[in-house]
């Protein structure tokens, strides 16, 4: 009877998620977690709840669910992949890159780990190139009105080296231009912030939730 009730709750949560009622879905997954005992069941529920939190931009909560999984299974592929995604949406690119680097060291044959590390290296390269350009412009006392074009060039290069459409956000952000705004550097701080790096939605790879 209890297992049947659990299945009904999970189905209800999935229906809420499908209808974009993410807060309600998260609440139901929390109810399921209160009675779930098996580690595999708890892992799946935590991953699903983390997806609900991410949809609501509740990054600290999503990271907490990922970390709870990783306490018992430090190379859980789905939890690591989701944590990297959350960190990127949060704007903590350095943390995401460090996590991907640690992941590939612990699981060197993991294709997904290698793929995410390559993506993050491209993003980090874009930031470094832009930081260098801004530094040169500041030293010369020139305005940075070519920032959109330069980012478009860097992003196009990134896309040519990484055929995945996830990097379309970089090109899109560059083409729309942000001449009057400073380009964000990857966060070097912890990941407790609830707010997204101001321009992270333009420069972060848009992995599907």
């Amino acid at each position: 009877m209890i297992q049947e009730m659990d299945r009904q709750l999970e189905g209800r949560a999935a229906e809420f998620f499908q209808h974009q009622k993410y807060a309600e879905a998260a609440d139901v997954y929390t109810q399921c977690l209160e009675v779930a005992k098996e580690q595999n069941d708890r892992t799946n529920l935590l991953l699903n709840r983390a997806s609900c939190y991410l949809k609501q931009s509740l990054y600290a909560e999503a990271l907490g669910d990922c970390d709870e999984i990783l306490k018992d299974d430090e190379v859980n592929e789905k939890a690591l992949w989701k944590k990297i995604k959350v960190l990127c949406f949060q704007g903590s690119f350095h943390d995401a890159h460090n996590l991907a680097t640690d992941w590939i060291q612990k699981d060197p044959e993991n294709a997904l780990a290698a793929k995410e590390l390559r993506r993050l290296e491209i993003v980090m390269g874009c930031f470094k190139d832009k930081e260098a350009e801004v530094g040169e412009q500041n030293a010369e006392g020139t305005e940075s009105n070519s920032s959109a074009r330069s980012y478009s060039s860097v992003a196009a290069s990134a896309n040519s080296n990484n055929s995945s459409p996830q990097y379309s956000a970089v090109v899109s952000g560059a083409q729309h231009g942000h001449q009057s705004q400073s380009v964000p550097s990857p966060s070097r701080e912890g990941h407790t912030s609830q707010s997204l790096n101001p321009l992270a939605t333009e420069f972060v790879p848009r992995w599907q939730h």
Side-chain angles (χ1 to χ4, degrees):
M1 178 65 70
I2 294 177
Q3 291 181 348
E4 180 64 27
M5 185 184 303
D6 291 347
R7 284 195 292 270
Q8 291 177 0
L9 282 173
E10 285 192 65
R12 187 180 172 194
E15 186 174 350
F16 276 136
F17 190 92
Q18 184 177 4
H19 289 87
Q20 300 181 5
K21 297 181 178 180
Y22 305 120
E24 292 88 341
D27 288 342
V28 177
Y29 282 127
T30 299
Q31 295 177 45
C32 293
L33 282 163
E34 290 173 354
V35 297
K37 303 298 182 184
E38 296 293 329
Q39 183 174 339
N40 287 341
D41 293 337
R42 291 189 60 80
T43 294
N44 290 330
L45 291 168
L46 286 166
L47 287 169
N48 289 337
R49 190 173 68 174
S51 293
C52 296
Y53 287 147
L54 182 55
K55 286 289 190 179
Q56 301 174 82
S57 300
L58 298 175
Y59 304 116
E61 288 84 349
L63 288 172
D65 281 351
C66 293
D67 286 338
E68 186 170 341
I69 296 169
L70 295 170
K71 283 192 301 185
D72 298 318
D73 182 6
E74 64 178 8
V75 289
N76 184 285
E77 181 178 272
K78 291 182 178 180
L80 286 165
W81 177 76
K82 191 172 292 292
K83 183 173 181 178
I84 287 172
K85 178 167 60 175
V86 175
L87 289 170
C88 286
F89 272 92
Q90 190 183 36
S92 300
F93 298 103
H94 277 280
D95 289 345
H97 182 266
N98 289 341
L99 181 59
T101 301
D102 183 64
W103 182 9
I104 199 69
Q105 289 175 348
K106 292 177 179 177
D107 191 3
E109 301 301 319
N110 191 295
L112 182 57
K115 183 178 181 180
E116 295 308 309
L117 181 58
R118 285 196 301 271
R119 289 177 175 179
L120 283 160
E121 286 175 343
I122 293 171
V123 172
M124 297 295 285
C126 289
F127 280 116
K128 288 179 180 178
D129 288 345
K130 186 57 190 173
E131 287 172 349
E133 179 192 336
V134 171
E136 291 176 359
Q137 290 173 342
N138 289 340
E140 296 172 359
T142 59
E143 296 182 0
S144 57
N145 57 8
S146 63
S147 60
R149 291 193 299 273
S150 64
Y151 245 125
S152 182
S153 176
V154 173
S157 175
N159 280 319
S160 68
N161 292 318
N162 184 79
S163 58
S164 171
Q166 281 85 348
Y167 282 92
S168 62
V170 180
V171 176
S172 175
Q175 289 175 340
H176 282 83
H178 297 290
Q179 293 95 326
S180 63
Q181 304 181 52
S182 61
V183 176
S185 298
S187 172
R188 291 173 172 81
E189 300 177 356
H191 44 68
T192 58
S193 172
Q194 287 293 99
S195 61
L196 186 64
N197 189 308
L199 294 182
T201 52
E202 298 294 344
F203 298 101
V204 67
R206 293 189 178 179
W207 293 282
Q208 294 298 312
H209 291 188

